Amino acid sequence: MIIILAPGATDAQIQHVVERVEAMGLSAHLSRGTYRTVIGVIGDEAEIASAPLAAISGVAQVVPVLPPYKLASKDAHPQPSIVEVGHVKIGGPFVGMIAGPCAVESESQMDTIAAAISRSGANILRGGAFKPRTSPYAFQGLGEDGLKILRDTGDKYGMPVVTEVVDPRQVELVDKYTDMFQIGARNMQNFVLLTEVGQARKPVLLKRGMSATVKDFLMSAEYILARGNSRVVLCERGIKGFDTETRNVFDVAAIPAVKALSHLPIIVDPSHATGRPDLIPACALAGAAAGADGIHIEVHHAPEEAMSDGPQALLPEQYAQLAKQIYKILEILGRKVTPVGESRD
Ligand code: PEP
Ligand code: MN
């Protein structure tokens, strides 16, 4: 950490800063320039991170050298992490192809969709059983019945499953059925929930909050990592903007930006990012080209009957066509997709 003193800081103020640093068991290296004095602090930065040094008079700025998301950062782990979801790998050379409806609605709905997408190259099945809806009057999901349907359908088609958990009290229940927890955008900073899934032994798909900066996003991942769960996959799903043309603003630059800072895999969700089936293919391809470690897409065979997010769902045949194009981009980039596993039928 570097402490920059204000112009005209007095010797007494400088001495006081040095004493405060030394009292924390760290050493202070003073460097007096013509205009400014700086103090380099040597020692564990975590020790000093929460000390209000900037509040000392004469201090202009306190500049950390290491990022505050120390476990998520590349300093902690220079190589990209590979996260296993069931038998499917995400990260490093591996790209996850996650698809399925927004919500689990019935056995036949899940069966129809899973049969189609597993043939088209998806390898992880998604479906919400607990839906965090903006309106309390909207469909909230089938709950445990939905979890059972998702699990059975995933097993039938040899696809691991991912589903959202919205309440820390339901982590144990969801854990019984899922291969991966999803933390939704609305819960990215629900720190109790993050702590709870941090204690679970299953991977976590952490979606970016609608107004979260990349740093906020990585700090939320840090909550999960700090509890001992290292299997975190990030998901860029669009952030709030001023334009109503798309549901959110697809921040494709967040993919390489996160990769420059963190070893964690990051995937894209062009469905929630754009909310428009006509834009989803272009954004999915852009995400793949930008180096995303997974492409997450909502698919429904009858969008007009869907109980949530119907207007943004791709039809199975549209998904099939898009998946072919995604695979071509992945081939150019030398990336791999784990095939689906044994089917139970
Ligand atoms: C979802 O995946 O259906 C969902 C609600 O996503 P988000 O949290 O990104 O809005
Ligand atoms: Mn949805």
Coordinates of all heavy atoms in Angstrom, one line a residue, residues 40 47 76 101-102 113 118 139 143 228 240 256-257 273 309 315 345:
G40 N 5.7 4.1 1.6 CA 5.4 2.7 1.2 C 5.2 1.9 2.4 O 6.0 1.8 3.3
E47 N -4.0 -6.5 6.5 CA -3.9 -6.0 7.9 C -4.4 -4.5 8.0 O -4.9 -4.1 8.9 CB -2.5 -6.1 8.4 CG -1.9 -7.4 8.6 CD -2.1 -8.0 9.9 OE1 -2.1 -7.2 10.9 OE2 -2.4 -9.2 10.1
A76 N -3.6 -14.3 -7.0 CA -3.8 -15.5 -6.1 C -3.6 -16.8 -7.0 O -3.2 -17.8 -6.5 CB -5.2 -15.5 -5.5
P101 N -35.3 -23.4 -20.5 CA -36.3 -22.3 -20.3 C -35.9 -21.4 -19.1 O -35.1 -21.8 -18.3 CB -37.5 -23.1 -20.1 CG -37.1 -24.3 -19.4 CD -35.8 -24.7 -20.0
C102 N -36.6 -20.3 -19.1 CA -36.4 -19.4 -17.9 C -36.9 -20.2 -16.7 O -36.2 -20.3 -15.7 CB -37.2 -18.1 -18.1 SG -37.0 -16.9 -16.8
I113 N -37.9 -29.5 -24.4 CA -36.7 -28.5 -24.6 C -35.4 -29.3 -24.5 O -34.5 -29.1 -25.3 CB -36.9 -27.4 -23.6 CG1 -38.2 -26.6 -23.9 CG2 -35.6 -26.4 -23.7 CD1 -38.5 -25.5 -22.9
S118 N -30.2 -30.8 -26.2 CA -29.0 -31.7 -26.1 C -28.6 -32.2 -27.4 O -27.4 -32.5 -27.6 CB -29.4 -32.9 -25.1 OG -30.5 -33.6 -25.7
F139 N -45.6 -15.1 -11.8 CA -45.3 -16.6 -11.5 C -43.9 -16.7 -10.7 O -42.9 -16.2 -11.2 CB -45.2 -17.3 -12.8 CG -44.8 -18.8 -12.7 CD1 -45.6 -19.7 -12.0 CD2 -43.6 -19.2 -13.3 CE1 -45.2 -21.0 -11.9 CE2 -43.3 -20.5 -13.3 CZ -44.0 -21.4 -12.5
G143 N -41.1 -24.3 -7.3 CA -40.5 -24.7 -6.0 C -39.9 -26.1 -6.1 O -39.4 -26.5 -7.2
G228 N -14.6 -20.7 1.2 CA -13.9 -22.0 0.9 C -14.5 -22.7 -0.4 O -14.0 -23.7 -0.7
K240 N -27.8 -2.0 -16.4 CA -28.8 -1.0 -16.7 C -28.1 0.2 -17.6 O -27.0 0.6 -17.3 CB -29.2 -0.3 -15.4 CG -30.2 -1.2 -14.6 CD -31.6 -1.0 -15.0 CE -32.5 -1.8 -14.1 NZ -33.6 -2.5 -14.9
P256 N -13.3 -9.7 -21.6 CA -11.8 -9.5 -21.5 C -11.4 -8.7 -20.2 O -10.3 -8.9 -19.7 CB -11.4 -8.9 -22.8 CG -12.7 -8.3 -23.4 CD -13.8 -9.1 -22.8
A257 N -12.2 -7.8 -19.8 CA -11.9 -6.9 -18.7 C -11.7 -7.8 -17.4 O -10.8 -7.7 -16.6 CB -12.9 -5.8 -18.4
A273 N -29.4 -10.1 -21.3 CA -28.7 -8.8 -21.7 C -29.5 -8.0 -22.7 O -29.6 -6.8 -22.6 CB -27.4 -9.1 -22.2
D309 N -40.4 -14.8 -19.1 CA -39.4 -14.5 -20.1 C -39.7 -15.1 -21.5 O -38.7 -15.3 -22.3 CB -38.0 -14.8 -19.6 CG -37.4 -13.8 -18.7 OD1 -38.0 -12.7 -18.5 OD2 -36.3 -14.0 -18.1
L315 N -36.5 -20.2 -30.1 CA -37.1 -21.5 -30.4 C -36.0 -22.6 -30.5 O -34.9 -22.2 -30.8 CB -37.9 -21.5 -31.7 CG -39.1 -20.6 -31.7 CD1 -39.6 -20.2 -33.1 CD2 -40.2 -21.3 -30.9
D345 N -32.3 -43.0 -20.5 CA -33.3 -43.8 -21.2 C -32.7 -45.0 -21.9 O -31.7 -44.8 -22.6 CB -34.0 -42.9 -22.2 CG -35.3 -42.4 -21.6 OD1 -35.5 -42.6 -20.4 OD2 -36.0 -41.8 -22.3

